[in-house]
Amino acid sequence: MSGLILTRRGLLTSMSAVGAAGVLAACGAKTGSGTSPGAEAKADTSGATVKVGLLNSLSGTMAISEVTVHNALLLAVKEINASGGVLGKKLEAVSQDGASDWPTFAEKAEALITDDKVVATFGCWTSASRKAVKPVFERYRSLLFYPVQYEGLEQSPYIFYTGATTNQQIVPALEYLKKQGLTRLYLVGSDYVFPRTANKIIQAYAKANGMQVVGEDYAPLGSTEFSTIVNKVKGAGADAVFNTLNGDSNVAFFKEYKSAGLTAKSLPVLSVSIAEEEVKSIGTQYLEGQLTAWNYYQTTPGAANEKFRSAYQAAYGADKPTSDPMEAAYNAVYLWKAMVEKAGSFDVAKVKTAADGITLDAPEGTITVDGATQHVHKTARIGKIGANGLIDEVWNSGKPIKPDPYLKGYPWAAGLS
C-alpha cells in the first residue's frame, strides 16, 4: 500500500479502508489466529516470557521521527528485563512496521493482538495512525500506549495517552506567544487530522484572546514543495508561524524559509512536532532561534533525565539526542509495568482499574496517570533551538497540568468537540 500522500481525500480513503476491514471481520472473515472479533483477545501469559508489541513507522516519511521512539521502547524493555521483568516474567518485544501507512498500522495492530498475543502495544505517532488502530484495540479490548502529543478531543477505554493533550502543549504555546506580543499568527500544517483539528482549536483560542489568524495552509504529508506557502507567509504580515507540519516535510519547509530570507528574529516559528532528532535531521543552520512546545527536552534537569539520556546514548551512540516522544514512549513502558504490578495481573480490566494515580519520577519530572481520562499530568515547556542542536527551555508551567482532552475547562472551546 502506498498511502503516503495524505490529502484530506486520501485520509478519508485510508480510514474507509480501516472501517471496511472492521466490517469484514464482523462478518466472519479470518482475522489472525481465530480470536472472535468483539471478544477480548487473550494475551499469552502462560510461559516465563510475555510479549509486548512495538508499532512504529520504521520506513516511509515518518521514519525520521518514529525510529527513535522504537529505540526508546526497546531500551525500556531491556532495562525492565535486567531488573527482573514484570511479575517475574521477562518481556519479549515484537516489532511491527506501520510503514507510514495508516491501513498498514491497523493490519499490524491486529496481527500483534491476535497472532502474537501481546499483553500490550506501544506506538503510533500521527493521529491518523492512532485513529486507524483505535477501533482494532477497542474491538479486541487490548491496550495501546500512545506516546506523542496530539490534538485532544478523544478518549478511548483501551488507549493510554502518555504524550501531551491540547491543554498541556498547544494552549500553553498560544499563551506564551500572546505574552510575547506575537498575536498575528500564520498556521502551516500537514494535511491530516492532527494539524486540521489543532488549527481549529487555535482559531477558537485566537478569537477569544485578542489574537488573529492571518493565514492557514496545508501540505500533503511528505511534501517537499513549500515555495508557494512560504511566499504567502512572508507577505501576510504575521508576527509568528504556528507549525504543525510532521515528518520530513519540515526539512523542506525550513530550508525554503531560510531561502526566502525569513529568520527566527524576523518571523519566529513555533513548532509542536520538531524535537531534537528532527533538529539534527533538518540542520541547526535552518532552525537556530526557533521555538518549540513540548513537555521534555534533552536538557531538562534532573537525575532521572541524566540516567535516561546516558542509557540511551550508551545503547545507540554518544551523538544520539533524546526527545519528548522518545521519553514519553520510554515512560509508557514503565507506567504499564507499574499498573500491572499494582494490579498483580496482566489482565486488561485489572490493569485499567489499577492505573489511576500511578506516579513516575520520569525524565521530564513527576508524571501521574489520570484514570478518568487515561491521560497523564504533564508540565508544559517552551524551548528555543540552539546552535548546538539542543533545545533550551525558556518557559515552563511550574507544575504538571491536569489533562483536559475535551477542553471542558475552557469556555472558548465550547462546541469544538
Side-chain angles (χ1 to χ4, degrees):
M1 300 179 201
S2 59
L4 296 183
I5 301 177
L6 272 193
T7 60
R8 295 178 76 185
R9 179 184 300 174
L11 176 57
L12 290 171
T13 300
S14 295
M15 295 306 293
S16 296
V18 174
V23 171
L24 287 172
C27 293
K30 186 176 180 181
T31 58
S33 59
T35 301
S36 174
E40 182 177 354
K42 296 297 183 182
D44 185 0
T45 61
S46 59
T49 300
V50 294
K51 294 179 179 178
V52 293
L54 310 187
L55 182 57
N56 312 102
S57 290
L58 306 180
S59 60
T61 191
M62 289 307 302
I64 185 177
S65 299
E66 294 191 53
V67 167
T68 59
V69 170
H70 180 261
N71 291 344
L73 290 167
L74 288 173
L75 175 63
V77 169
K78 180 181 177 182
E79 289 179 350
I80 289 170
N81 281 340
S83 66
V86 180
L87 296 184
K89 296 179 184 291
K90 295 297 180 72
L91 306 181
E92 178 186 345
V94 181
S95 298
Q96 291 282 6
D97 181 9
S100 305
D101 178 69
W102 323 141
T104 298
F105 264 93
E107 293 170 8
K108 299 297 187 180
E110 188 165 33
L112 286 168
I113 296 166
T114 62
D115 294 337
D116 296 307
K117 299 186 181 301
V118 297
V119 291
T121 300
F122 303 85
C124 296
W125 179 296
T126 67
S127 289
S129 65
R130 187 192 69 255
K131 287 187 179 295
V133 304
K134 180 174 174 282
V136 178
F137 285 95
E138 291 175 345
R139 184 187 318 140
Y140 291 107
R141 299 199 278 276
S142 185
L143 291 180
L144 169 69
F145 286 75
Y146 176 68
V148 186
Q149 50 78 14
Y150 81 114
E151 70 282 357
L153 307 183
E154 178 183 296
Q155 284 179 225
S156 168
Y158 296 99
I159 301 177
F160 281 91
Y161 305 76
T162 64
T165 188
T166 316
N167 74 308
Q168 299 167 318
Q169 186 198 33
I170 290 175
V171 173
L174 291 168
E175 291 173 348
Y176 176 82
L177 292 175
K178 182 182 176 183
K179 288 178 182 177
Q180 302 304 308
L182 305 174
T183 60
R184 291 171 56 82
L185 306 181
Y186 202 108
L187 311 182
V188 177
S190 297
D191 194 4
Y192 73 102
V193 61
F194 164 61
R196 287 193 173 272
T197 305
N199 287 343
K200 182 173 70 171
I201 292 168
I202 292 169
Q203 289 272 13
Y205 177 94
K207 185 177 180 180
N209 286 275
M211 301 178 80
Q212 183 181 358
V213 174
V214 298
E216 183 173 352
D217 271 298
Y218 299 90
L221 193 64
S223 175
T224 58
E225 173 49 54
F226 283 95
S227 58
T228 300
I229 289 177
V230 169
N231 284 332
K232 289 170 70 177
V233 169
K234 189 174 183 179
D239 296 327
V241 175
F242 204 106
N243 171 30
T244 53
L245 292 170
N246 260 273
D248 52 13
S249 289
N250 278 299
V251 179
F253 172 73
F254 279 101
K255 287 183 177 180
E256 187 65 40
Y257 205 76
K258 183 176 181 179
S259 294
L262 297 174
T263 66
K265 186 175 182 179
S266 66
L267 186 57
V269 179
L270 191 150
S271 301
V272 293
S273 292
I274 289 180
E276 287 83 349
E277 182 65 26
E278 289 77 20
V279 171
K280 183 177 179 181
S281 298
I282 295 167
T284 54
Q285 67 270 34
Y286 301 106
L287 293 172
E288 184 178 356
Q290 301 290 13
L291 300 169
T292 64
W294 290 105
N295 308 96
Y296 163 89
Y297 298 112
Q298 181 172 319
T299 56
T300 298
N305 187 32
E306 290 178 12
K307 178 178 179 292
F308 168 60
R309 186 176 64 243
S310 296
Y312 186 85
Q313 292 176 339
Y316 297 105
D319 62 334
K320 298 298 183 182
T322 55
S323 70
D324 183 291
M326 294 163 58
E327 188 259 358
Y330 176 85
N331 293 342
V333 187
Y334 277 98
L335 288 172
W336 168 78
K337 175 180 184 289
M339 294 174 196
V340 170
E341 291 176 342
K342 181 179 175 182
S345 172
F346 293 101
D347 178 78
V348 168
K350 293 179 181 178
V351 169
K352 281 164 47 65
T353 299
D356 186 47
I358 292 289
T359 297
L360 184 68
D361 181 17
E364 68 184 80
T366 301
I367 61 173
T368 304
V369 177
D370 177 58
T373 64
Q374 295 188 175
H375 288 64
V376 177
H377 294 242
K378 299 172 74 70
T379 299
R381 305 178 191 275
I382 305 299
K384 182 177 287 188
I385 300 169
N388 59 357
L390 298 179
I391 304 173
D392 293 312
E393 183 180 300
V394 296
W395 176 89
N396 72 62
S397 59
K399 62 181 181 179
I401 300 170
K402 182 179 180 179
D404 185 0
Y406 285 94
L407 297 171
K408 294 177 181 178
Y410 300 84
W412 53 263
L416 283 174
S417 57

